[in-house]
Amino acid sequence: MDGRGLRESDLVPQQHQWVAEGTGLLSGANYIGAVKVRGNLLHSAVCAARSHPNTSVLCGACQRPGSVGHILQVCPRTHGSRVARHDRLVALVQSAAGKAGWSCIREPAIPTTAGLRRPDLVFHHPDRPTYVLDVTVVADNAVLHEVHERKVQYYDVLDIRNWVARNISNSEVTFSSVSLSWRGLMARASANTLCSDLALGKQVLSLLSAVTCERSLWIWQHFHRSSFVLRG
């Protein structure tokens, strides 16, 4: 049960480097908490009820099964913290790409026949293809390469290609994603884009994994500090 979400952990070995580095990236308390996130070791109603059959497994905010995954991904009590986690990861990718010489447009509103689409990042460079990326953090039971492919298919449409040609350049356009689970595991295609295509360096994989786990810890802490209850 607790290890199932780590089944793809060997696909991107560099994403684990932060565990060996210890407090080089995180404070001591956050490092311990991030390791607990990685191992699904945080307290939850579902976890507490395993050996106590009369204990409720329901979330105190919305009365759905209160697993760690529920708290970190779908509970209305933690919506704002999830947005903050996403935005922090976007900012880290943008910063790393800027240091590597890429110019960036963040969250452009692109009209398409299906409505506005807002990819998180559009990177361009005079001598390189243009990259359209979206960042997402998903459940730990998701198949990460499928999450990546869905993001690519969502944004790889003619209207967005035409928008890039009009507003940036007529160079080749590549669509990709930065797809992670809440345990900090990354899709291999995402790692290849960051390291091979954008040339951001392998250390960015460890950083993104560590920050995902750290911010997931903060979401869990926010859940337990908040008294929000969904009414109706």
Side-chain angles (χ1 to χ4, degrees):
M1 181 65 182
D2 293 329
R4 181 179 58 184
L6 299 176
R7 63 193 179 281
E8 297 187 42
S9 60
D10 62 334
L11 298 181
V12 184
Q14 299 85 0
Q15 69 190 344
H16 306 298
Q17 187 59 38
W18 66 269
V19 180
E21 292 172 353
T23 56
L25 288 174
L26 308 175
S27 71
N30 284 346
Y31 174 77
I32 293 170
V35 171
K36 289 182 178 180
V37 170
R38 174 61 65 89
N40 194 27
L41 302 175
L42 298 175
H43 179 271
S44 69
V46 168
C47 177
R50 286 181 183 174
S51 57
H52 300 84
N54 295 324
T55 300
S56 174
V57 301
L58 299 181
C59 170
C62 61
Q63 296 301 298
R64 297 172 65 181
S67 65
V68 174
H70 167 78
I71 293 170
L72 300 183
Q73 293 299 119
V74 298
C75 183
R77 181 182 286 183
T78 56
H79 172 75
S81 297
R82 292 197 300 274
V83 172
R85 178 183 60 187
H86 168 270
D87 290 349
R88 178 59 178 155
L89 294 171
V90 172
L92 288 173
V93 175
Q94 181 179 2
S95 175
K99 293 176 182 177
W102 293 88
S103 299
C104 176
I105 302 173
R106 183 163 173 172
E107 296 182 358
I110 304 176
T112 74
T113 55
L116 283 179
R117 295 195 174 172
R118 297 178 181 268
D120 289 317
L121 299 163
V122 179
F123 292 122
H124 53 98
H125 189 285
D127 304 318
R128 304 287 295 278
T130 297
Y131 287 86
V132 178
L133 272 72
D134 204 65
V135 177
T136 186
V137 181
V138 298
D140 69 339
N141 61 355
V143 180
L144 289 172
H145 80 267
E146 293 179 356
V147 174
H148 170 82
E149 289 300 324
R150 285 196 296 271
K151 282 291 184 182
V152 170
Q153 293 170 11
Y154 182 78
Y155 287 105
D156 187 3
V157 297
L158 182 61
D159 289 329
I160 295 181
R161 289 183 174 273
N162 291 338
W163 180 89
V164 170
R166 289 194 308 270
N167 293 278
I168 300 176
S169 74
N170 287 315
S171 66
E172 178 186 351
V173 184
T174 297
F175 295 83
S176 189
S177 77
V178 179
S179 298
L180 301 115
S181 74
W182 56 259
R183 295 205 202 194
L185 302 187
M186 183 181 295
R188 182 155 51 185
S190 300
N192 290 339
T193 295
L194 295 174
C195 294
S196 301
D197 299 337
L198 298 176
L200 305 189
K202 293 181 179 179
Q203 66 273 14
V204 74
L205 306 181
S206 177
L207 176 62
L208 292 172
S209 177
V211 171
T212 300
C213 291
E214 178 186 47
R215 293 292 173 135
S216 292
L217 171 67
W218 292 5
I219 293 170
W220 178 84
Q221 291 171 337
H222 171 214
F223 175 86
H224 289 283
R225 289 194 302 265
S226 173
S227 59
F228 171 85
V229 175
L230 187 66
R231 303 295 182 185

